[in-house]
Amino acid sequence: MRIDAHHHLWTLARGDYGWLTPALAPIHRDFSLSDLAPHLAAAGIKGTILVQAAPTEAETMFLLDIAAKAQVVRGVVGWTDFDAADGEARIDALAAHKLLVGLRPMVQDIPDDDWLLRPALAPLLAAMARNSLVFDALVLPRHLPRLLRLVDGHPDVQFVLDHCAKPRLATGEMADWHRDVALLAERPNIVCKLSGLATEAAVGWQITDLRKAVDHVVACFGPHRLLWGSDWPVVNLAGGYEKWLAAAKALLAGLSADEKAAIFGGNAARIYLSGRGRKVEAN
């Protein structure tokens, strides 16, 4: 089964998307599953992972409600307040919703670059592990050394590196990213989401502009630890769903059929869905 391992949906009137301003005109409107459906159909995608886009539990419940009513959404990566005094209890309560497959603190937007190193995170990650929840790491290149320490400290937690940690494709300043991704990939409890690269590249990007980053994550993580995601509708800022999917297919053309099947679905099913017993088999 082909799976889009990373997309969003939102309704602006909900009011908790602080980052989503009129300056982002192509995506400053509501996006629903009906908007996504033609893209999924054209790509032969039968399942998706719906990912949070607002730092509120209210949005997570909104997404879980969508997932409960739509067979195509196989799981939700939500959000909870990792700084709350009752953080463990919040995670346990959210985990009662079986369609919740992971949590994603929006680390890229947190002012403290050392937030990932806070000792107070330890019991929360323990709660995620006992509930078989994945930790989606929405980080920037500067966070990678801290993320490495977090991953090392919690070998029982499954981590997913979102958007390849957003390498600076537009400027070419990638030496530190190159080194740190290689180090991170040595850890067995983290995989990498092949997504979000189009919006990090220069305007009017071509496939060649993405090749070094894609080749590097393939070499470091291998085909069985990479998950393709569209990052729709954010990808509409940089060419759209079909352009990014076509680029990914071209960049991975040298892999075997089994390896490509893993990246475009099998790995997402294993990482996100197997531990929660959710909608893996249904088509």
Side-chain angles (χ1 to χ4, degrees), residues 3 26 77 227 272-273:
I3 296 176
V77 175
L227 293 64
Y272 282 117
L273 305 180

Side-chain angles (χ1 to χ4, degrees), residues 32-50:
S32 68
L33 276 177
S34 63
D35 297 308
L36 178 60
H39 302 295
L40 300 181
I45 291 171
K46 301 297 185 182
T48 73
I49 303 297
L50 177 55

Side-chain angles (χ1 to χ4, degrees), residues 99-180:
L99 285 170
L100 187 80
V101 298
L103 292 170
R104 186 172 86 145
M106 301 179 80
V107 177
Q108 67 173 15
D109 299 325
I110 296 173
D112 182 7
D113 281 352
D114 290 329
W115 184 87
L116 287 169
L117 303 180
R118 295 169 59 249
L121 287 181
L124 280 72
L125 268 71
M128 291 184 67
R130 68 173 175 262
N131 286 295
S132 299
L133 294 175
V134 173
F135 186 107
D136 260 47
L138 177 61
V139 298
L140 300 173
R142 69 176 185 271
H143 296 114
L144 289 174
R146 284 94 161 174
L147 180 61
L148 179 65
R149 290 171 60 182
L150 187 70
V151 170
D152 278 346
H154 298 276
D156 54 344
V157 175
Q158 176 65 64
F159 291 85
V160 174
L161 181 63
D162 278 4
H163 308 325
C164 304
K166 297 191 171 184
R168 297 173 180 170
L169 297 176
T171 66
E173 300 172 88
M174 294 171 57
D176 288 349
W177 173 87
H178 198 276
R179 177 199 65 222
D180 292 337

Side-chain angles (χ1 to χ4, degrees), residues 4-234:
D4 181 342
H6 195 108
H7 75 90
H8 309 285
L9 301 171
W10 53 67
T11 300
L12 294 182
R14 294 192 56 262
D16 49 5
Y17 305 100
W19 62 275
L20 187 50
T21 68
L24 300 172
I27 60 173
H28 189 254
R29 66 171 181 84
D30 295 350
F31 284 92
S32 68
L33 276 177
S34 63
D35 297 308
L36 178 60
H39 302 295
L40 300 181
I45 291 171
K46 301 297 185 182
T48 73
I49 303 297
L50 177 55
V51 181
Q52 64 81 225
T56 66
E57 287 184 3
E59 194 228 12
T60 296
M61 299 308 296
F62 166 71
L63 300 180
L64 287 167
D65 184 62
I66 291 173
K69 298 172 182 175
Q71 182 63 44
V72 71
V73 179
R74 308 298 166 123
V76 170
V77 175
W79 182 95
T80 192
D81 186 354
F82 280 75
D83 294 320
D86 61 344
E88 285 183 81
R90 287 171 180 256
I91 291 172
D92 288 336
L94 284 170
H97 300 270
K98 293 303 181 183
L99 285 170
L100 187 80
V101 298
L103 292 170
R104 186 172 86 145
M106 301 179 80
V107 177
Q108 67 173 15
D109 299 325
I110 296 173
D112 182 7
D113 281 352
D114 290 329
W115 184 87
L116 287 169
L117 303 180
R118 295 169 59 249
L121 287 181
L124 280 72
L125 268 71
M128 291 184 67
R130 68 173 175 262
N131 286 295
S132 299
L133 294 175
V134 173
F135 186 107
D136 260 47
L138 177 61
V139 298
L140 300 173
R142 69 176 185 271
H143 296 114
L144 289 174
R146 284 94 161 174
L147 180 61
L148 179 65
R149 290 171 60 182
L150 187 70
V151 170
D152 278 346
H154 298 276
D156 54 344
V157 175
Q158 176 65 64
F159 291 85
V160 174
L161 181 63
D162 278 4
H163 308 325
C164 304
K166 297 191 171 184
R168 297 173 180 170
L169 297 176
T171 66
E173 300 172 88
M174 294 171 57
D176 288 349
W177 173 87
H178 198 276
R179 177 199 65 222
D180 292 337
V181 163
L183 289 172
L184 196 61
E186 293 174 0
R187 278 59 184 176
N189 58 321
I190 187 165
V191 297
C192 181
K193 201 171 285 186
L194 189 60
S195 60
L197 294 179
T199 44
E200 300 305 314
V203 174
W205 61 269
Q206 302 298 315
I207 290 176
T208 53
D209 299 323
L210 311 183
R211 184 170 296 281
K212 286 185 178 179
V214 173
D215 285 352
H216 187 55
V217 295
V218 171
C220 291
F221 286 95
H224 294 285
R225 291 170 63 205
L226 289 175
L227 293 64
W228 181 84
S230 65
D231 196 26
W232 182 91
V234 179

